[in-house]
């Protein structure tokens, strides 16, 4: 089974990519060395001097052309994503190609509006001829380091946004999905993007670490908490800013008044889509005691109805997992659930019908927050269920975690839904929805607590990719500033007046300062 792992070959110069569903090699990619990374970052820096001067319209043309390339070979791209990651081809379209095409058109059409210079209201200072504005400048070279679970949409979405912001990009795809990474490079080459504006550097963790050390202007990292911490530590040495999109242990809370038909379908999809390998998967389900039995029965029935098979079959609901390592984590958590007194209702083991990395969709009841699979990210097809009796307890259980990426609340009472959502510490909380908002280009994505910091997507995500510069202008230089040198007792009195009147924010109050200001200006003129 080790052949299913995608690892650098013996010489460490290449990565071999395997189909996790079959164990067959599907291609090879360079394992870029540190020296190579440094050279390519220099090229990116050179390309930035030209790219930053392009207009939003020019950038948008390249992004929209890249979209056309994707549309012209969607089926081949979907098949590659499915082969390299194990996911059903339906999900290659629904969770990768369709949302990223939407994101590309959205930022191509709207980046100039989001990043247009903004005037700031500076209060009473404007009456003294002062004005302030913010302009958004491209950052430079952005290093994007990505995981394998959404190998197309996560990196490509960030690439499109960075290009629209005027940055150049070095992208390191996961070593498990290098061919999808190279496909992204090919798409932009075919869109005639100028040389070195986007470079895809395939490789393992060392290649990623070299990007952090190579003096890029920002790192956009998506991956595990452990790697995120290493990156933050290395980046601190050069004060390179970092966005960290890390793991999750996302809770779903189902109240007795919820639409149980919809909630049970959402739970099954939210836990098992992409074989549970989504950072915002339903990893813990809390159901109100009164309906727990009925709800759990619905979930088990719907789970048993899922078709597990090779990703290329369009009837497949659940495909292979992406790596043997990830499956081993799932096995460990499931074993721990059983040992700690939880009960496996369906699934619970590797699917013996396949040689590849398939784990059966697994529903577990009587889970408690003390169990390992309720505390650590499982990142696999498991749905552990626990019960609660009160709203306060549901919130407490949901918040009892080191993570805070997403959460969902299910109730027909939308006021209760909003109240509970606001009490949960997570970057995104959905009411009567699960998981899918990474697919909305306009909304921010990112976590609280150990799920990371910074945002991707939406306005907040685009602002991560630019440097806000404040420009302050004085149109009124005839009078000296009262705070300039020439300090005196009169200056002390003036600033006492500032503290009492100007700092109140009230124009009426500030008018009371006028005699003292005139005195101070005369004093400065005499000096
Ligand atoms: P990972 O941390 O193992 O690897 C992520 C990337 O970092 C890979 O490209 C890897 O080669 C690179 N890398 C490894 N060591 C490095 C180092 N020292 N310096 C720089 N780069 C290094 O994560 P993974 O297994 O690929 O992805 C799964 C994790 O990603 C899960 O925890 C999941 O929750 C998280 N994830 C988060 C989000 C989000 O938006 N918050 C989205 C998808 C996945």
């Amino acid at each position: 089974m080790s052949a299913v792992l995608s690892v650098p070959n013996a010489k460490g110069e290449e990565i071999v990519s395997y189909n996790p569903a079959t164990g067959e090699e599907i291609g090879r990619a360079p394992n870029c060395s540190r020296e190579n990374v440094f050279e390519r970052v220099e090229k990116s820096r050179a390309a930035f001097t030209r790219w930053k001067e392009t207009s939003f319209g020019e950038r948008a043309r390249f992004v929209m052309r890249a979209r056309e390339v994707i549309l012209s070979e969607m089926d081949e791209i979907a098949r590659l994503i499915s082969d390299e990651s194990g996911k059903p081809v339906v999900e290659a379209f629904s969770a990768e190609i369709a949302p990223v095409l939407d994101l590309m058109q959205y930022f191509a059409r709207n980046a100039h509006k989001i990043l247009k210079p903004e005037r700031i209201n500076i209060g009473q200072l404007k009456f003294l001829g002062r004005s302030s504005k913010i302009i958004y400048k491209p950052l430079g070279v952005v290093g994007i380091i990505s995981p394998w679970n959404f190998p197309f949409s996560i990196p490509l979405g960030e690439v499109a946004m960075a290009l629209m912001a005027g940055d150049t990009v070095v992208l390191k795809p996961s070593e498990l999905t290098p061919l999808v990474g190279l496909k992204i490079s090919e798409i932009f080459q075919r869109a005639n993007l100028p040389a070195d504006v986007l470079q895809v550097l395939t490789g393992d963790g060392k290649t990623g670490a070299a990007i952090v050390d190579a003096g890029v202007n920002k790192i956009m990292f998506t991956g595990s908490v452990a790697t995120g911490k290493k990156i933050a530590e290395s980046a601190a040495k050069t004060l390179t800013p970092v966005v960290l999109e890390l793991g999750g242990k996302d809770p779903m809370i189902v109240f007795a008044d919820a639409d149980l038909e919809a909630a049970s379908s959402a739970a099954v999809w939210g836990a098992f889509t992409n074989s549970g390998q989504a950072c915002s998967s339903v990893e813990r389900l809390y159901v109100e005691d009164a309906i727990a039995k009925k709800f759990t029965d619905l979930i088990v029935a719907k789970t048993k109805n899922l078709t597990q098979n090779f990703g290329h079959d369009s009837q497949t609901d659940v495909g292979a997992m992406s790596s043997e390592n990830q499956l081993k984590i799932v096995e460990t958590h499931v074993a721990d659930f059983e040992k700690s007194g939880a009960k496996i209702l369906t699934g619970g083991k590797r699917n013996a019908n396949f040689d590849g990395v398939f784990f059966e969709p697994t529903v577990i009841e009587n889970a408690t927050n003390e169990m390992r699979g309720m505390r650590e990210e499982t990142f696999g097809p498991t749905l552990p269920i626990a019960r609660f009796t009160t709203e306060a307890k549901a919130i407490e259980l949901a918040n009892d975690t080191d993570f805070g990426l997403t959460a969902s609340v299910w109730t027909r009472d939308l006021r209760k839904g909003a109240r509970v959502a606001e009490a949960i510490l997570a970057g995104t909380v959905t009411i009567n929805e699960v998981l899918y908002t990474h697919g909305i280009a306009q909304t921010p994505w990112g976590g609280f607590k150990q799920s990371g910091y910074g945002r991707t997507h939406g306005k907040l995500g685009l602002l991560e990719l630019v440097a806000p510069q404040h420009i302050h202008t004085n149109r009124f230089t005839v009078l000296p500033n009262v705070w300039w040198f020439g300090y005196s007792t009169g200056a002390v009195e003036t600033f006492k007046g500032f503290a009492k009147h100007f700092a109140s924010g009230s124009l009426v109050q500030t008018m009371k300062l006028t005699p003292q200001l005139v005195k101070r200006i005369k004093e400065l003129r005499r000096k």
Side-chain angles (χ1 to χ4, degrees):
M1 206 40 67
S2 64
V4 172
L5 294 176
S6 183
V7 290
N9 74 358
K11 286 194 208 148
E13 293 156 355
E14 263 186 344
I15 300 170
V16 183
S17 175
Y18 295 98
N19 180 333
T22 61
E24 284 160 16
E25 176 178 335
I26 51 176
R28 292 177 182 225
N31 190 11
C32 290
S33 67
R34 193 172 172 84
E35 295 69 37
N36 196 219
V37 167
F38 277 62
E39 279 164 24
R40 307 273 289 268
V41 168
E42 273 319 304
K43 286 186 175 171
S44 193
R45 205 176 301 291
F48 175 68
T49 56
R50 297 179 301 276
W51 184 249
K52 70 174 184 198
E53 301 302 336
T54 53
S55 67
F56 283 109
E58 282 170 89
R59 296 171 200 164
R61 272 194 290 282
F62 289 111
V63 171
M64 293 303 272
R65 243 184 256 154
R67 271 186 98 255
E68 290 304 318
V69 174
I70 297 168
L71 282 166
S72 71
E73 53 174 274
M74 265 199 307
D75 290 314
E76 294 87 330
I77 294 172
R79 178 68 193 240
L80 175 64
I81 295 170
S82 170
D83 282 352
E84 206 173 33
S85 68
K87 72 179 65 190
V89 80
V90 177
E91 291 181 4
F93 282 110
S94 65
E96 303 242 33
I97 295 176
V100 87
L101 286 177
D102 183 52
L103 178 147
M104 289 167 89
Q105 66 78 20
Y106 174 72
F107 283 103
R109 294 190 173 124
N110 292 288
H112 70 287
K113 292 182 210 153
I114 301 170
L115 298 180
K116 72 171 186 294
E118 240 175 272
R119 195 157 286 288
I120 305 174
N121 183 349
I122 52 172
Q124 301 174 78
L125 279 171
K126 63 179 173 282
F127 301 120
L128 298 173
R130 276 30 173 221
S131 64
S132 274
K133 68 174 178 181
I134 294 186
I135 61 167
Y136 296 103
K137 300 169 81 150
L139 283 177
V141 181
V142 171
I144 298 175
I145 302 176
S146 312
W148 42 263
N149 61 334
F150 292 96
F152 194 65
S153 59
I154 290 179
L156 179 51
E158 291 174 15
V159 165
M161 291 174 69
L163 296 182
M164 285 311 303
D167 300 319
T168 55
V169 176
V170 288
L171 161 64
K172 197 206 79 70
S174 166
E175 54 272 50
L176 291 180
T177 52
L179 302 184
V180 175
L182 290 176
K183 181 49 95 176
I184 294 173
S185 167
E186 188 197 313
I187 288 164
F188 279 96
Q189 274 169 24
R190 286 182 46 201
N192 291 327
L193 188 73
D196 303 328
V197 171
L198 166 66
Q199 298 178 76
V200 176
L201 312 183
T202 50
D204 56 19
K206 289 200 194 92
T207 308
I211 291 178
V212 181
D213 293 341
V216 296
N217 298 87
K218 186 146 189 170
I219 293 286
M220 303 291 288
F221 173 74
T222 308
S224 62
V225 174
T227 310
K229 285 183 179 172
K230 280 189 207 157
I231 288 179
E233 209 176 317
S234 311
K237 290 185 195 129
T238 47
L239 289 183
T240 304
V242 187
V243 166
L244 297 177
E245 294 289 353
L246 309 179
K249 192 73 203 167
D250 300 355
M252 173 172 179
I253 298 176
V254 182
F255 286 102
D257 68 343
D259 177 338
L260 297 191
E261 230 355 273
S264 55
S265 295
V268 171
W269 181 74
F272 303 133
T273 184
N274 209 26
S275 271
Q277 302 165 121
C279 50
S280 49
S281 279
V282 175
E283 288 243 342
R284 299 177 286 149
L285 194 150
Y286 300 102
V287 58
E288 193 163 350
D289 208 30
I291 47 122
K293 168 85 177 76
K294 184 177 171 199
F295 189 66
T296 305
D297 288 348
L298 277 172
I299 284 181
V300 171
K302 289 179 183 184
T303 302
K304 285 185 173 161
N305 222 10
L306 296 173
T307 304
Q308 186 163 42
N309 201 349
F310 296 108
H312 57 76
D313 183 334
S314 60
Q315 307 298 313
T316 297
D317 295 309
V318 181
M321 295 186 65
S322 295
S323 79
E324 187 64 25
N325 279 350
Q326 200 55 50
L327 184 140
K328 290 215 165 80
I329 295 171
V330 178
E331 281 180 335
T332 312
H333 284 196
V334 170
D336 188 75
F337 272 122
E338 280 192 291
K339 199 179 82 199
S340 320
K343 189 171 163 205
I344 313 291
L345 298 178
T346 181
K349 57 183 192 314
R350 193 172 195 125
N351 189 329
N353 297 332
F354 302 94
D355 288 336
V357 191
F358 287 81
F359 198 88
E360 292 177 356
T362 299
V363 181
I364 301 158
E365 73 171 354
N366 299 338
T368 67
N369 271 16
E370 289 65 47
M371 296 173 186
R372 188 169 174 187
M374 295 289 273
R375 306 211 71 78
E376 297 171 18
E377 191 181 40
T378 308
F379 221 57
T382 55
L383 180 54
I385 303 174
R387 298 181 181 200
F388 67 88
T389 45
T390 64
E391 182 181 320
K393 190 66 188 171
I395 294 167
E396 185 192 318
L397 288 168
N399 280 335
D400 174 26
T401 173
D402 292 336
F403 295 97
L405 189 59
T406 78
S408 80
V409 183
W410 289 76
T411 170
R412 284 196 169 92
D413 177 349
L414 296 185
R415 280 171 64 180
K416 176 162 78 175
R419 188 168 67 228
V420 174
E422 285 174 27
I424 292 177
L425 296 172
T428 295
V429 186
T430 52
I431 301 166
N432 298 331
E433 265 301 350
V434 280
L435 192 144
Y436 87 116
T437 69
H438 190 268
I440 308 177
Q442 294 88 340
T443 57
W445 185 260
F448 292 0
K449 302 197 266 184
Q450 301 273 310
S451 291
Y453 44 73
R455 292 295 178 266
T456 58
H457 294 190
K459 177 181 172 182
L460 295 180
L462 192 62
L463 290 179
E464 297 279 2
L465 294 160
V466 287
Q469 183 179 42
H470 169 209
I471 303 209
H472 183 78
T473 307
N474 175 13
R475 288 187 185 74
F476 196 48
T477 52
V478 283
L479 296 178
N481 280 342
V482 290
W483 52 84
W484 284 351
F485 283 133
Y487 294 164
S488 63
T489 319
V492 172
E493 287 311 309
T494 305
F495 288 105
K496 276 189 189 168
F498 260 76
K500 278 192 207 150
H501 304 298
F502 180 87
S504 72
S506 150
L507 188 59
V508 177
Q509 284 284 322
T510 302
M511 295 302 278
K512 294 186 184 157
L513 259 181
T514 312
Q516 184 62 41
L517 282 176
V518 172
K519 235 163 106 185
R520 170 73 178 142
I521 288 167
K522 281 188 181 155
E523 179 185 64
L524 280 168
R525 283 255 158 86
R526 281 197 302 274
K527 291 213 176 193

